[in-house]
Amino acid sequence: MNKFKFYFVVISFAALLFSCNNNDDTPEPVPVRAFNVQYYTDITTIEAYLNSYYIVNDVNNPDFADEDITFAKIPDGGGQKSIFKFLNSNSYPKLLTKDVLLHDITYKIYYLKLRADNELGKKPIRVDEVLAAYSGFYLSSKTEEAGTIIEGTPFETVVFPQSMLGLDRTIRGWGEIFPRFTTGIYDATLSPDPASFTNFGAGVMFLPSGLAYFNSPPLGSRIPSYAPLVFTFKLYDVKHADQDQDGVLSKDENVVDENGNFTNQDTDKDGRSDYLDIDDDGDGVLTKNEIKINGVIPTSYDLILDCSGLTTGTKKHLDKSCF
Ligand SMILES: [Ca+2]
Ligand SMILES: [Ca+2]
Ligand SMILES: [Ca+2]
């Protein structure tokens, strides 16, 4: 059953991704480390975790719910299939990777897809907003006589998301991985309250600290500095953002390929990307006042037109050259 219901009730949760509420256990400051050195440590820890843990709720379990995944350590002599063995699997769960060039290094992000894309779902881009349930834990390693042991420590769970989260305002890893997943379908016929989504995207991301909080975890959180983070998540819905409020959605002001890879456009080369630039071509006229349909500035941008003035259904950035 690809079905999930959540209630819009007032619940209390700590949105650690954005705020803090407790300074009692603030981590001690530690010296800043080099990104490339820390990345090597992190990816070693992550790969050790992938090799030494297995998926508890696998398809052989009659109670398997593909969106409710947990992991457990493979016991000595255990024959369980490690997470790593799902790499590029022909079926789901499927472990995949994404390379991200940042901080002058190429990060590898491992992520699990738990089910196929919903063909009717939407994909966010890196600056959109998402409605997502998630559960996070951080990885740590310790060396004992028997060898190095990797452990996961939970720090936050949001089962009933109450609001959209802006991917441009949270950790980079979220913005890199959520675009590889599709939203569910809201089905009002099931019941308006609780709201119901079916066939939502479900996955797990394994993030090096350089794509998470690195040396600056949220004040008051239990996340140590330089901790690789793991998030299991369910992507229910997406709100496409229009950061510069010019009527053209940000996803249409950037080049986004089918894998959600994101390339900034900067038409006037002033260092401010089009999706953040209220005057993309730098001619002194605001972009929103340059978008015309048959010569008229529209009051609604529900339908974005191409330069010919014809409705295309596809979105295209418009600039002065169109008119
Ligand atoms: Ca815009
Ligand atoms: Ca610009
Ligand atoms: Ca302009």
Side-chain angles (χ1 to χ4, degrees), residues 271-288:
R272 179 173 284 266
S273 299
D274 286 355
Y275 81 102
L276 299 172
D277 193 338
I278 59 175
D279 178 12
D280 295 345
D281 56 5
D283 67 350
V285 181
L286 300 183
T287 306
K288 69 179 181 180

Side-chain angles (χ1 to χ4, degrees), residues 241-250 253 274-275:
D242 177 10
Q243 264 80 8
D244 58 4
Q245 300 184 335
D246 63 359
V248 183
L249 297 177
S250 295
E253 297 203 66
D274 286 355
Y275 81 102

Side-chain angles (χ1 to χ4, degrees), residues 214-242:
F214 202 59
N215 64 325
S216 304
L219 291 175
S221 82
R222 286 175 285 166
I223 305 171
S225 296
Y226 305 111
L229 301 186
V230 182
F231 290 95
T232 65
F233 60 88
K234 304 170 185 178
L235 176 59
Y236 297 135
D237 204 2
V238 166
K239 180 182 178 186
H240 293 302
D242 177 10

Side-chain angles (χ1 to χ4, degrees), residues 35 44 63 67 86 96 127 220 298:
F35 282 109
T44 301
D63 297 324
E67 72 275 17
F86 289 89
L96 297 165
V127 297

Side-chain angles (χ1 to χ4, degrees), residues 46-54 81-88 95 97 108 110:
I46 289 169
E47 290 181 344
Y49 183 86
L50 296 174
N51 276 306
S52 58
Y53 281 73
Y54 67 100
K81 182 178 178 179
S82 72
I83 306 168
F84 203 85
K85 288 184 176 159
F86 289 89
L87 186 64
N88 298 319
L95 184 67
T97 62
K108 178 185 285 188
Y110 288 95

